[in-house]
Each structure stands twice: as C-alpha cells, then as structure tokens.
Amino acid sequence: MAITLSSLTDVAALGFDTIIDVRSPAEWAEDHIPGAISLPVLSNEERAIVGTIYKQESPFRARRIGGALVARNAAAHLEGPLADKDGGWRPLVYCWRGGMRSGSFATILKSVGWRADVVEGGYRSWRRLVVEQVYDRPVASPVVLLDGNTGSAKTELLALLKTRGAQVIDLEGLARHRGSLFGAMPGGQPSQKAFEGALALELARLDPARPVLVEAESAKVGQCRLPPRLWRAMVAAPRIEIAAPRAERAAYLARAYADLSADPARLSATLALLRPLHAAERVESWQELAATGAHEALAHSLMAHHYDPRYAKHRARMEVPRQVVEAESLRPGALPDLAGAILARLGTF
C-alpha cells in the first residue's frame, strides 16, 4: 500500500518501525526524511549507468539491468542490516518519486513476510511539504528572540529553557554551526535542503498558543540561509537581552570554543580572515594571543574590538520591544537561575 503524506508530522504518527531511504548515497547525503536510514538499492555509479541506458539505449534494457542490481543489493541488505528483524517489523520505504526502486524493495520485503509500505510520491512528496512549511506558511507561534552580545551563553540557555518546558527552536543546532566566523563545528553543516527539512519539522510542531524562543541570528547561520518568512518574523520580534560582563563572556567563550582552541592551525587561519576588517597590528596581536594559548584574553579582545561594536551598531537600528536580564556570572552553576529569569520574562509576552 502507498502511504500519502499530508503533513510533516505524519511520518512519526503512522507508527512505522523504520523509515528506509533506498535512493543512492549521493541523494541521501543531500537530504532525506529525518530519522530515515540509508539502504540504497542502487549505488551512485549504478544509478548513473541505468539512467544512461534508459535515455540513450532502451528503457526495457535499463529496467532489466536495474532490476538485477536492485535484487543483488537488496539481498545484501537482507543478509546484513536487516538480518535481525523479526516477523513483526514494519518498515516504510521511499525513493525519489515512489517508483521502481522503492516498489521493488518493498515487494521483496513483503515476500519475506514484513508489512512494508511505500511513500506515495517518494522523497519529492516530503520535499513539497517542507517547502510549503518554510516558504509559504507564516510562523504559527509569536516569535521572541533571545539576544545578547557574543559569549552570552544563549545556545546553552536555550537548551536549559527547553528542558523547563519553553517552546524553543535552536537554529544553530539545526544548522550545526555556532553562528559566527569561529562557529564551524566538527562534521560540517547540513545541506540547505536538509536544514530546511529539520527546521520545517520544528515549525510544524509549534503550539500557536505559546511563544517560541529563537536565538538572535543573522539571515544565515554559517552557510544555511533562514527562510524569508522566519527571518522577517525574527526581525520584528521582541527581544529578551542577556547583559553579562565582558570578562564573564570571555571566560565562557574560552570554554565553549575549546575545540577551536585545541586546533592552533584552524584558529590562526580563522583569525586571518579578519585582516580585511582590522589593522594588521590588531590581527597580529590576536595571532600572538592565540599562539601563546591566551584564549580568554583573545576572546576578550575580539569582543572589545570586533563583535561588541558590531552588535551595538546593529541594535541602534532596531526599534522593537526589549527586556534586559542582567547576568553577573555565566559559570555553569549560574546558568539555571539565569534560565529561570529568562523564562519569567518570556511569560510576559
């Protein structure tokens, strides 16, 4: 039976044990339904060969060769990743458009005795729902921004607030980037499509009766672009601003960016990117601090001469409601109380 997806939350609600993406590894890498596993029935090379034969020689010959390849690869999956599945296992299978790849694999799974279904329209039907959610629909909940200068522990506070029941969207978590020049994270960022898919799910789950707290960001988080509707809602949103001493923020950054500090070559290369924006002497002083391991002093100087002035200039152009939460400390033990203070302010919107 083909399953028609009418909303982004259908996949989880339908109760399948496993969602299987049978597209090629390259298709999977670009984007896939969140939570799916990859069991390709054609490799990248095999898909290219079958496609070429289909277009240039004969659709029949392409289907015959493709069928043999699918059967061979399906056998490897049955003997490998699926070998431990019991008789009650219920998988949902999809390919690019719900055609031969998913249909063939589902037929093989059914012949074993499993209750396999396919997604009507395949990945393309999922992608249409994503595009509709992030590009065509307004954000369902009132947006409130969590603001504050660099090093104000905003991302960590968002996580704490979520555990306390606040409605939160962590854009940096979805984009796998900390949102600054120094913000690259191990493993790199998702593709734009994958970012939009994860974001669409978060937006679809919002309770319209409650505000959603989002960290103040630019229009891009690393290389991931925010959809225009969300960005416009963020620009107009009221803000809860964390005001913390620069020394506390510098100490926090030294802890939070320990992965970058542990890679001197990467840190030096990132600092070099600031040369077009600052005098050579300033950048050299930052390079010296990095080379000597004075990471807290480096963070303090970067905020004083680079980040804080830019934040101040940006805020001067903003005319939105703002509530300030004073934070004397950003040490780990102080963050729960700070989260509580932010949660109290959130309740006023």
Side-chain angles (χ1 to χ4, degrees):
M1 183 177 74
I3 300 295
T4 300
L5 300 180
S6 58
S7 75
L8 292 166
T9 56
D10 278 353
V11 174
L14 290 169
F16 286 93
D17 297 314
T18 310
I19 305 167
I20 301 175
D21 186 324
V22 298
R23 298 175 304 154
S24 68
E27 293 172 289
W28 160 270
E30 182 184 23
D31 186 29
H32 52 270
I33 296 177
I37 65 170
S38 176
L39 293 181
V41 294
L42 292 176
S43 69
N44 297 333
E45 296 77 11
E46 290 166 345
R47 178 171 176 256
I49 290 169
V50 171
T52 299
I53 294 172
Y54 187 94
K55 291 179 180 179
Q56 298 182 2
E57 297 185 33
S58 160
F60 174 77
R61 183 165 183 264
R63 287 193 293 268
R64 178 172 59 79
I65 293 174
L69 292 170
V70 167
R72 190 175 304 138
N73 291 324
H77 296 326
L78 289 172
E79 295 169 347
L82 305 183
D84 63 343
K85 303 300 182 184
D86 61 28
W89 180 59
R90 187 179 176 222
L92 178 64
V93 183
Y94 72 92
C95 60
W96 171 246
R97 56 175 177 260
M100 292 187 63
R101 286 183 288 176
S102 59
S104 298
F105 192 56
T107 297
I108 293 170
L109 297 181
K110 288 176 184 177
S111 71
V112 173
W114 289 314
R115 295 175 297 156
D117 290 312
V118 299
V119 176
E120 180 71 34
Y123 165 81
R124 293 197 305 178
S125 65
W126 165 263
R127 178 62 186 169
R128 280 194 293 269
L129 292 173
V130 168
V131 170
E132 178 185 348
Q133 179 69 63
V134 299
Y135 286 103
D136 300 335
R137 293 184 181 179
V139 181
S141 296
V143 176
V144 178
L145 291 195
L146 183 60
D147 202 355
N149 283 351
T150 298
S152 298
K154 297 185 291 293
T155 301
E156 192 168 342
L157 286 164
L158 279 179
L160 280 172
L161 287 160
K162 188 172 184 178
T163 65
R164 296 188 177 199
Q167 190 163 233
V168 165
I169 294 180
D170 179 6
L171 294 173
E172 293 188 2
L174 297 177
R176 297 203 295 271
H177 195 280
R178 287 168 292 207
S180 71
L181 185 66
F182 298 87
M185 299 176 68
Q189 292 193 259
S191 70
Q192 181 67 26
K193 286 183 178 180
F195 171 69
E196 290 171 356
L199 175 59
L201 268 180
E202 295 288 324
L203 292 169
R205 293 169 178 154
L206 290 178
D207 177 357
R210 302 165 57 212
V212 58
L213 194 60
V214 180
E215 184 173 344
E217 302 282 357
S218 64
K220 291 175 67 177
V221 184
Q223 295 303 310
C224 292
R225 301 181 305 277
L226 300 186
R229 281 184 178 270
L230 175 59
W231 173 240
R232 289 196 294 268
M234 291 169 62
V235 169
R239 298 175 177 236
I240 300 174
E241 181 182 332
I242 304 164
R246 191 175 291 152
E248 282 294 312
R249 292 188 286 122
Y252 178 82
L253 286 175
R255 298 193 302 272
Y257 283 75
D259 61 311
L260 181 57
S261 302
D263 188 344
R266 178 181 155 211
L267 178 55
S268 177
T270 306
L271 288 169
L273 298 175
L274 293 170
R275 291 188 185 280
L277 302 174
H278 295 276
E281 295 80 3
R282 177 84 67 198
V283 177
E284 284 305 316
S285 72
W286 290 336
Q287 293 281 17
E288 290 175 11
L289 289 171
T292 58
H295 299 127
E296 197 167 320
L298 172 62
H300 196 287
S301 183
L302 281 167
M303 287 187 294
H305 300 291
H306 180 72
Y307 284 107
D308 288 3
R310 282 162 173 74
Y311 269 75
K313 185 177 180 180
H314 176 71
R315 289 198 188 101
R317 300 194 298 264
M318 306 294 294
E319 295 183 1
V320 294
R322 183 185 307 277
Q323 296 191 34
V324 177
V325 176
E326 300 288 343
E328 294 183 3
S329 171
L330 295 174
R331 297 288 173 182
L335 293 184
D337 286 344
L338 182 54
I342 295 168
L343 192 59
R345 300 295 182 92
L346 183 62
T348 66
F349 289 102

